[in-house]
Amino acid sequence: KRFIRTIRTIRTMLLAVSIFGFGTIASAQDIPDAERVTTNDFRGRLEGTFEWEVAKELSLEAGLQLRLNNDLGSVDRIHTSVGAQYEPCKYFNLGLDYILINGYDSKVKSWDKPRHRANLNLEGKLELGRVELSLRERVQTTFRTDSVNRYEKMNPEVVLRSRLMAEYSIRHSGWSPYILFELHNTLNAPKVVANYKTSPRSTDNYVTRYRAGVGAKLRITRNHRLDFYYYFDYDRSYDIDYKGNAGTLKGYKLENEFRHIFGISYKFKL
């Protein structure tokens, strides 16, 4: 009897999957296949940060970051940031950040309209001898100041960033090498439809970035810190294009980009 029940359960699950798959295929019949575009780029980051420990559990930060792209040949953007971090215990901290993003378009040689970004960070830590493990969840919300079609690009755009990191403190050296892995998940990306005027507005959720990184932090003195790092990013996103007021889908691209990012960060801690 248990065997028969198991077979029936499996059959029911397969039937449900088949119905779901057919429905998905049917709903996608009017949508053409995405054009695939793949690019590679070497990028760089230079950053300076000031941290002020207001109280034992509370610290404030301000920073400026320059980003380079096009194989380190042009400016990509400048980030100006302020933030606060509250650490009620050594196992957990809560952070809030605001970032002003000034992007530069090297093709037309002009600055884009600025974007505003707010981050909510929740991080848990665990120390195992000289190794510190941490898991950070970041809700990232970016507001655009230019005019966009909300069916092509969301405003604001909300992304969940999940980062797992392991850091090792080398005794009597000031060096702390680390490795990390991070996923970026879209929470409200626009869904591709044949015609947004005849289809209900809906959102899509998918992993838009995979990141693996290695680095090393150096504590020069109590006040001066350096961080050297390398990230390998695999980015994937959709570039959707509809026909003006008609709402009909002209086409869309699946943009894949492989990024090699080299960075140096300096922090002055008061």
Side-chain angles (χ1 to χ4, degrees):
K1 291 182 179 179
R2 181 178 298 177
F3 176 76
I4 294 175
R5 285 199 301 268
T6 303
I7 294 298
R8 287 177 178 173
T9 301
I10 295 174
R11 185 175 60 185
T12 303
M13 292 174 62
L14 290 175
L15 180 61
V17 170
S18 300
I19 294 174
F20 175 78
F22 178 80
T24 303
I25 294 172
S27 65
Q29 284 180 347
D30 297 329
I31 300 176
D33 292 334
E35 178 186 351
R36 296 178 180 269
V37 179
T38 302
T39 57
N40 296 271
D41 196 13
F42 283 86
R43 301 192 172 199
R45 297 182 182 182
L46 296 172
E47 182 179 14
T49 306
F50 171 76
E51 181 181 348
W52 177 32
E53 191 172 308
V54 181
K56 185 178 180 181
E57 300 86 7
L58 179 65
S59 61
L60 304 178
E61 278 194 4
L64 185 67
Q65 184 184 76
L66 170 67
R67 297 189 177 186
L68 306 175
N69 63 355
N70 295 328
D71 295 332
L72 307 176
S74 60
V75 173
D76 177 30
R77 59 180 65 178
I78 296 176
H79 285 195
T80 307
S81 62
V82 292
Q85 182 172 287
Y86 176 65
E87 188 173 7
C89 65
K90 65 177 183 178
Y91 302 108
F92 175 78
N93 66 69
L94 168 68
L96 291 171
D97 306 314
Y98 164 75
I99 303 172
L100 173 63
I101 303 174
N102 289 289
Y104 183 77
D105 190 338
S106 60
K107 294 180 180 178
V108 297
K109 299 186 183 302
S110 67
W111 293 93
D112 298 329
K113 290 189 176 181
R115 301 183 187 183
H116 305 277
R117 175 171 294 171
N119 294 327
L120 171 62
N121 307 311
L122 300 173
E123 184 175 22
K125 297 180 180 180
L126 178 63
E127 292 186 3
L128 301 173
R130 305 193 69 83
V131 177
E132 180 183 87
L133 302 177
S134 63
L135 175 64
R136 187 192 69 190
E137 297 293 342
R138 168 178 288 175
V139 180
Q140 174 182 288
T141 307
T142 306
F143 300 86
R144 304 175 66 106
T145 58
D146 56 342
S147 178
V148 294
N149 184 338
R150 63 177 181 171
Y151 294 95
E152 296 176 346
K153 298 181 184 297
M154 295 301 292
N155 188 24
E157 179 189 51
V158 185
V159 175
L160 175 65
R161 299 173 53 172
S162 305
R163 187 193 71 185
L164 181 63
M165 182 172 172
E167 182 177 334
Y168 178 75
S169 177
I170 301 176
R171 192 187 304 271
H172 307 307
S173 70
W175 286 98
S176 297
Y178 60 86
I179 59 173
L180 61 86
F181 182 73
E182 185 172 354
L183 295 176
H184 293 203
N185 295 273
T186 64
L187 298 182
N188 68 336
K191 189 172 184 178
V192 180
V193 294
N195 188 305
Y196 65 75
K197 291 200 169 183
T198 58
S199 302
R201 186 184 177 198
S202 57
T203 58
D204 201 0
N205 307 107
Y206 54 88
V207 178
T208 186
R209 177 175 297 169
Y210 301 83
R211 168 174 289 172
V214 295
K217 298 177 182 179
L218 174 62
R219 177 173 176 170
I220 303 172
T221 66
R222 179 183 177 278
N223 303 108
H224 302 280
R225 319 283 177 93
L226 286 173
D227 185 6
F228 306 90
Y229 57 87
Y230 163 76
Y231 297 154
F232 173 74
D233 286 2
Y234 166 47
D235 278 37
R236 55 188 300 272
S237 60
Y238 291 100
D239 183 10
I240 310 171
D241 188 15
Y242 291 103
K243 293 181 181 178
N245 295 327
T248 306
L249 179 67
K250 291 174 60 178
Y252 66 106
K253 298 178 182 178
L254 174 57
E255 298 177 333
N256 299 301
E257 184 170 19
F258 299 94
R259 299 176 180 174
H260 302 272
I261 303 171
F262 300 88
I264 301 175
S265 176
Y266 166 75
K267 175 183 286 188
F268 178 79
K269 188 172 182 179
L270 187 62

